[in-house]
Amino acid sequence: MTLWRQVLAALNDRTLDDTERERIVARGAARLAGHRAPEGQQATPDDVVALALREFAFLIDTGQARAALREAGPTRG
């Protein structure tokens, strides 16, 4: 399943525990923040937190955002 389908499913699947839902949404926000970062810059944890709230109406903390960015790896260079 693609990441975007996983994010949509996580937002709607009430059988998931909160930790797993947060992890999936954070990964999606990190990937999207990385793609939206200006050329030559990497997304920051604050970018990921803001994007998760703005795009997915989901609050994650900076620790989750940092972990998701590490997992996503660099998307801009």
Side-chain angles (χ1 to χ4, degrees), residues 7-75:
V7 169
L8 291 174
L11 291 171
N12 293 304
D13 185 352
R14 297 298 168 214
T15 64
L16 283 178
D17 64 33
D18 290 342
T19 302
E20 183 65 11
R21 180 177 297 108
E22 291 165 0
R23 188 183 67 76
I24 293 169
V25 172
R27 279 183 32 218
R31 174 93 42 99
L32 191 54
H35 286 292
R36 290 184 179 175
E39 192 66 39
Q41 296 183 20
Q42 292 186 7
T44 67
D46 288 338
D47 294 333
V48 176
V49 170
L51 195 141
L53 186 58
R54 184 176 58 249
E55 298 293 334
F56 303 129
F58 202 91
L59 184 61
I60 60 172
D61 64 37
T62 55
Q64 293 164 319
R66 273 192 295 277
L69 283 169
R70 279 193 302 272
E71 188 177 327
T75 56

